[in-house]
Amino acid sequence: MTIEPKGVDKLMLIVHNGTVYKQFESDDREQIMNELNAIVNDVYQQGKVIKLITIDGVDVTGSVESFLVSNLNPIQNIEVHSVTPDEIIDSLYADIVDYLGKVSKAIETISDMFYGDVNMDAWNQLSQLSEALGFTIEALQTIIAHGQHHAGQPSFANEVTVFIDAVKTHVAEINQAIEDQDFVLVGDVIRYELGQSVSRMLNSMVSRVEQ
C-alpha cells in the first residue's frame, strides 16, 4: 500500500548549485527520485561528486530515498551541491591549515601538564593530540596523492614526508620518555620538538595559500 503525500500549494523546486534544475506542480515522490538520479548521473559524468543534498534545509545526503518515503510533509525545495575533486582538496587543505593552527596552540598547554603532577587529564589530552596528528597525516597524504596544483608540487610532497618522519620520531621519543617515567622530557619533546615540526608545517601551508 502506498501512502500519497499531501499536495503542495506552490511549485516545488530542485536546485543544483544555485540554478533551478526542475520545478514540479505536484509532490510526486517517484518523479522527484528520478530527477535526482538524473542529476547524480550528470554530476558523475562531469567528473564531479555530490557534496550535499538537502530537502527543505534537512541534510539527506546518502538517505534521500528513505527520507522521501518516511517524510509525508509537503516538500518545497531540494538543493543539490556538487563539487570537483580539486574543490574537495582545496577545502581539505584549508581545513588542515585551520586544524594545525588549533593543534599548534594546544601543544603548549598539553606540554605544561607534564611539568608537574601528571593527572588523568594530561593523559587524555595527550591521547587526543595523538589522534589529531594521525588525522593530519592522513589528510596530508590524501592531498599529496591527489596532486593538487598548489599542494601537489614535489617540494610540498617532500615537506610532508619530512613532517611525517619527524612526527614519528617525536612520538617514539615521547613513548620512551613515558616508559622511563621522565615526564619532564615528555613535556619538552611535545613543546620544543613536536611543536616546532607542527609550526613549520603550518607556516609552509599558509605561505602556499598566500602565494
Side-chain angles (χ1 to χ4, degrees):
M1 181 178 69
T2 302
I3 301 176
E4 294 296 333
K6 301 174 184 179
V8 292
D9 296 326
K10 62 179 183 179
L11 292 177
M12 193 214 76
L13 304 177
I14 295 181
V15 179
H16 179 210
N17 286 351
T19 301
V20 174
Y21 178 88
K22 193 81 174 183
Q23 58 185 24
F24 301 90
E25 294 183 357
S26 63
D27 194 345
D28 186 330
R29 301 299 166 94
E30 183 176 356
Q31 186 180 6
I32 291 171
M33 197 66 224
N34 289 338
E35 293 296 343
L36 288 174
N37 285 333
I39 292 177
V40 171
N41 289 333
D42 288 345
V43 166
Y44 289 151
Q45 287 177 5
Q46 295 172 26
K48 297 182 178 181
V49 295
I50 298 295
K51 181 180 181 181
L52 179 69
I53 298 177
T54 62
I55 296 181
D56 290 333
V58 178
D59 184 353
V60 296
T61 311
S63 59
V64 176
E65 191 167 4
S66 61
F67 183 89
L68 291 176
V69 171
S70 62
N71 177 42
L72 301 180
N73 293 321
I75 294 173
Q76 300 298 335
N77 290 289
I78 299 177
E79 296 192 21
V80 180
H81 301 273
S82 64
V83 294
T84 65
D86 282 355
E87 289 171 326
I88 292 176
I89 296 300
D90 277 339
S91 177
L92 177 60
Y93 189 98
D95 288 344
I96 292 302
V97 169
D98 181 63
Y99 194 71
L100 270 179
K102 294 177 181 178
V103 170
S104 182
K105 291 179 181 178
I107 280 177
E108 184 172 345
T109 300
I110 295 172
S111 67
D112 282 343
M113 294 179 174
F114 289 89
Y115 291 139
D117 293 331
V118 181
N119 55 29
M120 186 56 67
D121 188 36
W123 297 115
N124 289 337
Q125 291 294 325
L126 183 60
S127 177
Q128 290 179 25
L129 176 60
S130 177
E131 292 177 2
L133 292 170
F135 169 77
T136 300
I137 287 173
E138 289 181 6
L140 288 172
Q141 289 172 329
T142 298
I143 293 171
I144 294 303
H146 180 75
Q148 181 66 354
H149 301 301
H150 64 270
Q153 301 171 357
S155 59
F156 183 77
N158 291 338
E159 290 173 10
V160 170
T161 299
V162 170
F163 172 72
I164 293 174
D165 290 343
V167 168
K168 290 179 179 178
T169 298
H170 303 329
V171 169
E173 291 173 343
I174 290 170
N175 287 335
Q176 184 61 53
I178 291 173
E179 185 177 336
D180 296 338
Q181 296 190 353
D182 188 345
F183 301 135
V184 171
L185 179 58
V186 172
D188 285 345
V189 173
I190 293 173
R191 173 172 295 198
Y192 300 112
E193 297 184 31
L194 180 60
Q196 185 179 55
S197 293
V198 169
S199 294
R200 187 181 297 116
M201 188 73 254
L202 174 60
N203 290 338
S204 173
M205 294 185 74
V206 170
S207 67
R208 289 174 182 275
V209 172
E210 295 174 345
Q211 288 176 358

